[in-house]
Amino acid sequence: MTGDIPSSGHSPSPVGAPADHLGHRDRLRDKLVSGGGAGLHDYELLELYLFRCIPRRDVKPIAKSLIARFGDLGGVVTARPVDLASVKGISDKTAAELVLIQALAERLAREQVIGRPVIASWSALITYCRTALQHARTEEFRVMFLDRKNRLVADEVLGQGTIDHAPVYPREVVKRALAHEASALILVHNHPSGDATPSQADIDMTRSLMEICRPFDIVVHDHLVIGRENTSSFKTLGLM
């Protein structure tokens, strides 16, 4: 028997999927288009992304499992691929796709600050730093290098360590600053514990670095400590 088959506008539901599976996907997409991401829960945004990675399954339970396991959307996309793949329904390929979200977020945030005066884009700089470090599970020390017009010309990771320590070598920081012909620096590191309060070691290291930079006419504008919920500024706290 031949002839056209009446179409409802959708492909047949995947075997084993709920009857309303595709209708649910369409409703989520409509909700995103009409109201933007602000009108969606974390797990719903994750669902929308997983639709592309896992096309033949109801991904709502998987999305909820990921949020339950890693805490929130940021925790999901910054998780290690091996940990993501341990969640039922997540393959190694899908884990790599989820890691891609964080890489894209960092790149987009960086584009808002690179080559721009930091004073005019300070909130964007904070957003970039938080995007990169807010959910990091180990401590990371970054340096933002600025030119004479206080434009961000480069940022580099100059120390990576454990959950509560990242080795920092002030002379290496100065070496990299000279290589970039930088006239000023902004130091940034995270506290994986979540508490953005500067430690005494943070304060001592910053003051030591400022002393080493002074003969080279390199100014340290600020040192930012990134916590889970907030960010501390040495300059605002009167620590420099």
Side-chain angles (χ1 to χ4, degrees):
M1 180 177 179
T2 61
D4 294 334
I5 300 174
S7 172
S8 62
H10 302 303
S11 300
S13 295
V15 175
D20 197 34
H21 176 63
L22 294 179
H24 172 66
R25 292 188 172 200
D26 286 341
R27 285 192 295 274
L28 272 188
R29 292 189 182 101
D30 290 344
K31 192 175 179 181
L32 176 67
V33 172
S34 63
L40 295 166
H41 296 292
D42 280 2
Y43 77 86
E44 290 177 318
L45 287 171
L46 199 50
E47 275 189 85
L48 283 165
Y49 190 80
L50 290 174
F51 290 165
R52 299 289 183 180
C53 308
I54 311 173
R56 296 180 178 84
R57 288 186 60 180
D58 175 14
V59 296
K60 183 175 182 178
I62 300 173
K64 287 192 169 184
S65 293
L66 286 167
I67 296 295
R69 169 73 182 277
F70 299 105
D72 56 23
L73 193 55
V76 172
V77 301
T78 55
R80 297 184 306 166
V82 65
D83 293 331
L84 290 168
S86 70
V87 175
K88 185 178 180 180
I90 298 296
S91 65
D92 290 340
K93 181 179 178 180
T94 301
E97 293 283 351
L98 290 169
V99 172
L100 174 63
I101 298 176
Q102 176 66 10
L104 289 171
E106 285 188 35
R107 187 65 57 88
L108 290 171
R110 186 176 187 274
E111 287 179 356
Q112 299 303 309
V113 295
I114 197 71
R116 303 184 184 187
V118 295
I119 294 176
S121 58
W122 187 253
S123 62
L125 179 68
I126 296 295
T127 296
Y128 170 52
C129 293
R130 291 193 61 77
T131 299
L133 296 172
Q134 179 181 7
H135 292 280
R137 287 165 174 74
T138 57
E139 194 165 303
E140 186 174 296
F141 181 81
R142 291 185 177 222
V143 180
M144 309 286 174
F145 300 95
L146 312 178
D147 65 13
R148 294 189 181 279
K149 294 183 179 180
N150 279 328
R151 294 176 300 195
L152 180 64
V153 295
D155 76 282
E156 296 182 0
V157 177
L158 295 183
Q160 288 181 303
T162 63
I163 194 169
D164 60 0
H165 175 71
V168 180
Y169 303 100
R171 294 185 185 279
E172 180 63 19
V173 174
V174 173
K175 179 180 176 182
R176 297 305 302 153
L178 294 174
H180 287 296
E181 298 184 348
S183 61
L185 311 174
I186 296 174
L187 313 178
V188 186
H189 83 282
N190 63 304
H191 282 176
S193 66
D195 182 2
T197 304
S199 67
Q200 188 59 50
D202 295 337
I203 296 170
D204 293 342
M205 181 277 294
T206 303
R207 291 174 177 169
S208 174
L209 181 55
M210 291 173 68
E211 287 298 319
I212 293 175
C213 286
R214 188 167 288 113
F216 298 95
D217 292 325
I218 299 172
V219 178
V220 179
H221 280 325
D222 206 343
H223 187 163
L224 303 175
V225 184
I226 309 298
R228 185 59 57 87
E229 302 295 337
N230 58 0
T231 300
S232 292
S233 159
F234 273 47
K235 188 172 184 179
T236 301
L237 293 172
L239 297 174
M240 58 187 305

